[in-house]
Each structure stands twice: as structure tokens, then as C-alpha cells.
Amino acid sequence: MIPVRNRDPGLRVKMSLADMDTERGFSGADSECPFSEVIELNVGGQVYVTRHITLVAVPDSLLWTMFSKKTPKDLARDNKGRYFLDRDGFLFRYILDYLRDLNLVLPDYFPEQSRLQREAEFFQLRDLSTRISPRVSKDNSISDDICQSETEEGALQCGIGSSSGMETLRMMSAMSSARSPSPESRKSGYITIGYRGSYSIGRDIQTDAKFRRVARITVCGKTSLAKEVFSDTLNESRDPDRPPERYTSRYYLKFNFLEQAFDKLTEVGFHMVACSSTGTCAYTNNDPNEDTIWTSYMEYVFCRD
């Protein structure tokens, strides 16, 4: 029998691409997948680009169901055609890291462990959720976010005089101590709070002043200290991967009340050591009878010995 040689170079290309797909783990059925190999996601406003095989890496997970059991028309999209997920866009990066090789390495100081576990549960990644589960699970009827007042009230409801009530109180106290670092383990250092605002003082015939809402409170200092004090109220999307012992001036708070920032600093042992302010005055136009606009910037320096 005389061997037949393929004289169509295009067919050779098609065969080589098929071989590549076989090496990557695509079967014949997968070749009919309605999704493209590279997929763009919009997760809570954060854009991610990944491979389809990564999203379906864990069978029976939510993403596996979405991108293997459904079609593109079944999934929500944003105005640019990207698949949209209404979840925490910052924490999704860790979900995606886990899906790539079924392993996850978190930063040395990671204050959002409980929130990441919640995301893992939402995406039905049971193994990941088990790995990052808090020290005291929900089976013990103790919430990871319980506050001091709830602790005392719960102990009273259980009955302080009973042994079960006392045991509950001891467990809750241990949790509170675990969340709040002991004086020996607290690191000393400085944190600077910046506050910019403006307001208008009306003309002499007006008795009230019109204030404008402050847009942002900035935080400067060592990364580990800033995360310890402000935790999930710290917006670190502009500088998410800075090592704990490095300094940054790119953080800001998710709230607009100085007193709230002061309370958080005081609760963990900081006290104010210095402050400064500057102010400028300007008219909205050249008419001196118009409202006067004042702009001010203030900084407050806190220290923990």
C-alpha cells in the first residue's frame, strides 16, 4: 500500500492545534464549548482576564456551573460585554489564584480572612473555605464578628451562675482577647491622619455657613499598623500588595468622620502627639459681595509607644 501524503498545509495547522488542545486537557466535547478560551470578568467593578479552563477547575463549584452548564446568553454582562459578578472585586483575586493551581498563599498580615471565607462559601469552594476557616467555627454558635456588648448580653442570657454560662463567657472572652493584640505584642509606631475640607461663609446678611462634605480621610504610616487599626474600613485598592513593614501614604478610609478614626486609634493604644492645619480663602468670582470659600487641610499625628 502506498502511503498518502497530505499536501494541504492548512490541514497540518488544524491537526497541530488539535494536538495542542489535547495536551491542555480539552476533550472532543470541550471543543464545542460556547465560551471562548480567554474570558473577561467584571467582579464588583474590578476587571479580570483569565482562561476558561481556570474557571472550571473545581467541579461543582459556582463558577464551574456557570461556565460549563450554562451558555453565554444565560449569564449577566456589563455594558462592555464582560461577564459580571456582583461580589467583592478585591477578594476575587485570591479566589482566582486558588483556581489556578488549587493552592493559596495569603499575605503575612491579612485582616480580611473571615470575608474571604465568606467569598469561598459563595463560590462553593469547600476545600478553600475549610482552609481559611476561623479559629472558632459557627458550629460553636459564636460569631467571628461578635462585639463586647453582645458578649456580655449573651452571657447573661445563658445564665452567669450556671456552668454552661460561665464556660460561654470564658470562650467569648478568649475570642475577644485573640482579636485584640496584647500590650506585649503591639508594635510601636506612628500613624498620620490627613483631612481636607472646604466650606463657604455667607455674606454679612446671612447667618449660616454652608459646609461641603469631606471627600476623603487619608492614612499614612506602616502598612501593618494601618491594617491593624482600621481593618476593613481601610481602602487599600490603590496599594493592595505593599509588604507589612513598608510605609505608604496611599491609603484612605471608607468613612468621613474624624471622630470615628480617633476612636479606632484610641481603642488600640494610640494617642495624639501633634497636629497642624493650613487654610486658604478665595472668592467664587471677583465680586467681594459673593460667598467666601475656605479650604483647609489638617494633619493629626498619633503614636503608640
Side-chain angles (χ1 to χ4, degrees):
M1 180 179 294
I2 301 175
V4 179
R5 295 184 178 179
N6 176 27
R7 297 181 179 179
D8 185 0
L11 182 58
R12 293 182 182 178
V13 174
K14 293 178 182 178
M15 292 177 63
S16 62
L17 290 176
D19 293 340
M20 290 174 61
D21 286 344
T22 302
E23 292 178 359
R24 291 174 180 172
F26 290 97
S27 63
D30 291 333
S31 62
E32 301 177 358
C33 176
F35 295 97
S36 60
E37 183 180 358
V38 178
I39 292 180
E40 287 189 70
L41 302 173
N42 178 350
V43 185
Q46 299 289 330
V47 177
Y48 292 90
V49 181
T50 185
R51 297 180 62 192
H52 176 266
I53 196 172
T54 300
L55 296 176
V56 298
V58 178
D60 297 325
S61 66
L62 178 62
L63 292 171
W64 179 86
T65 302
M66 292 174 59
F67 290 96
S68 65
K69 295 299 184 181
K70 297 184 178 181
T71 61
K73 66 179 181 179
D74 297 328
L75 304 180
R77 299 194 183 214
D78 64 9
N79 56 5
K80 293 187 177 180
R82 295 176 293 227
Y83 297 103
F84 179 75
L85 294 169
D86 189 16
R87 301 301 298 181
D88 192 312
F90 172 71
L91 292 178
F92 186 76
R93 59 188 302 215
Y94 299 106
I95 300 294
L96 202 57
D97 282 346
Y98 173 77
L99 292 175
R100 290 189 177 108
D101 56 8
L102 300 184
N103 191 22
L104 180 64
V105 179
L106 295 176
D108 292 336
Y109 186 89
F110 188 74
E112 299 186 293
Q113 185 171 331
S114 59
R115 293 181 61 187
L116 180 58
Q117 187 197 17
R118 184 178 62 185
E119 295 299 302
E121 292 175 352
F122 173 82
F123 287 105
Q124 300 172 15
L125 300 170
R126 299 177 181 84
D127 180 64
L128 177 60
S129 177
T130 302
R131 293 188 190 184
I132 59 178
S133 60
R135 221 173 265 180
V136 180
S137 65
K138 294 180 180 179
D139 295 335
N140 293 329
S141 302
I142 300 177
S143 172
D144 187 46
D145 297 323
I146 194 167
C147 65
Q148 183 66 26
S149 59
E150 292 172 341
T151 301
E152 296 172 354
E153 182 179 355
L156 290 174
Q157 291 176 352
C158 292
I160 289 294
S162 64
S163 59
S164 60
M166 292 299 292
E167 181 64 23
T168 302
L169 181 59
R170 281 194 294 268
M171 293 176 63
M172 292 180 175
S173 299
M175 284 185 59
S176 179
S177 300
R179 289 194 303 271
S180 301
S182 62
E184 293 77 11
S185 62
R186 290 178 176 177
K187 294 183 179 180
S188 60
Y190 291 84
I191 290 180
T192 300
I193 301 297
Y195 179 88
R196 187 184 304 276
S198 65
Y199 59 93
S200 64
I201 298 180
R203 298 182 293 276
D204 293 338
I205 60 175
Q206 296 176 326
T207 59
D208 60 338
K210 300 178 181 179
F211 291 87
R212 190 185 71 177
R213 185 178 180 181
V214 175
R216 185 166 296 175
I217 299 175
T218 60
V219 177
C220 305
K222 187 175 291 187
T223 300
S224 58
L225 290 178
K227 290 184 177 181
E228 176 194 337
V229 175
F230 298 107
S231 187
D232 57 350
T233 62
L234 189 72
N235 192 318
E236 51 181 318
S237 59
R238 295 176 59 196
D239 203 0
D241 295 323
R242 184 166 289 272
E245 299 307 311
R246 296 289 296 275
Y247 291 87
T248 182
S249 59
R250 296 175 62 85
Y251 291 160
Y252 59 91
L253 301 179
K254 298 178 182 179
F255 53 82
N256 295 324
F257 298 97
L258 271 177
E259 292 78 9
Q260 190 173 351
F262 294 167
D263 286 342
K264 287 182 174 295
L265 286 159
T266 303
E267 288 171 0
V268 292
F270 281 85
H271 60 277
M272 188 187 300
V273 294
C275 65
S276 64
S277 64
T278 60
T280 58
C281 170
Y283 295 104
T284 55
N285 54 44
N286 294 328
D287 186 357
N289 294 321
E290 292 295 327
D291 289 352
T292 303
I293 304 297
W294 285 88
T295 301
S296 63
Y297 176 74
M298 293 168 282
E299 284 189 343
Y300 303 88
V301 181
F302 286 80
C303 174
R304 185 170 67 186
D305 299 326

